[in-house]
Amino acid sequence: MSLANTVDADIRKANTLPVDFYLDPQFFELSKERIFARSWQFASGPEAEIDLTPLTLLPGFLDEPLLLTKHGKCLSNVCTHRGKILVEQACDANLIRCGYHGRRFSLEGKFLSMPEFDGVENFPTAADDLREIAAAELGSFRFVSLEPIESFENYVAGVDHFFKTEAPLNLTATRDYEVNAHWALYCENYLEGFHIPYVHRGLNEVVDYGTYTTETFRYSSLQTAWSEPPAIAGGSDTDPVARYLFIFPNTMFNFYPWGISVNVVEPIAPAKTRVRFLTYISDESKLKTSAGADLHGVEMEDEAVVESVQKGVRSRYYLHGRYSPTREQGTHHFHRLIAEFMG
Ligand code: FES
Ligand SMILES: [Fe+2]
């Protein structure tokens, strides 16, 4: 079960990721620890500040019960006594008390007290505290990592400046899509603008294909789309109509003149994926006239093509493909990272 060295560093020589990665359930299982537990995962946006917010990290996949605190910490949401989930609903509180037998913890996760435990030897120890999980902020967005391969600062180096000048954002809509395809097929479609003229007729009318660029960083990549002619769809000579920022392996920040659309890609099964869309608006007045006004329509076009690829990669005649050196740098970079993380 190795993918090491399967994707050449030179895009002109490289084959795409071996098709087994999408099809073999063992790779899907292994990716939980090797890719998802070690990467940085989107946890929340600039929602209301509440003392304690429970979060299941990648429900049905990693399925890890976590607890975000107002002070920027992330704790295990599992009682260290017999394992009950501690906080079931977001709430304000000055301590955490288990609803099963009354064990109490501070908001920092420190064990405080436990009824009927007099005489218990070697108790409490550090193992009775709640486990702290690595957490970090990118502008007003929060990320967590179970076993970080790299500090968050290094993980987002080169792209974090987009969040420094972030205007106040309001979460105006959330929507989940279910796609009948492997999660990586969904991501790799997102990572190239190559398909825009063929798949997205409407989008193609506002995006200038000639000046579309892709830049890659250590664990992220950025696609920039300018408008044609300038100054339509909310773009200008100095502002692109859209920036598509991908943070490996499954977070997408789409910057539009009106705000940010966040997509979080959540594996469910080898051929089933949930994509969460979170819409954050900073300037409502630009919404109707800008690129990204019809996110649902574009999503339907992408889903149709990705589900078609899912059927195609099952064919006994398809083993891998090749890359366009000018149009598929983002997909190549993504496949390289998958091969690296999977080992
Ligand atoms: S499981 Fe929490 S106090 Fe018993
Ligand atoms: Fe697309």
Side-chain angles (χ1 to χ4, degrees), residues 182-198:
H182 190 275
W183 66 271
L185 292 179
Y186 186 90
C187 293
E188 62 191 54
N189 168 69
Y190 171 89
L191 286 165
E192 43 93 354
F194 196 9
H195 69 272
I196 292 176
Y198 305 100

Side-chain angles (χ1 to χ4, degrees), residues 189 195 200 298 302:
N189 168 69
H195 69 272
H200 305 302
V298 174
D302 280 321

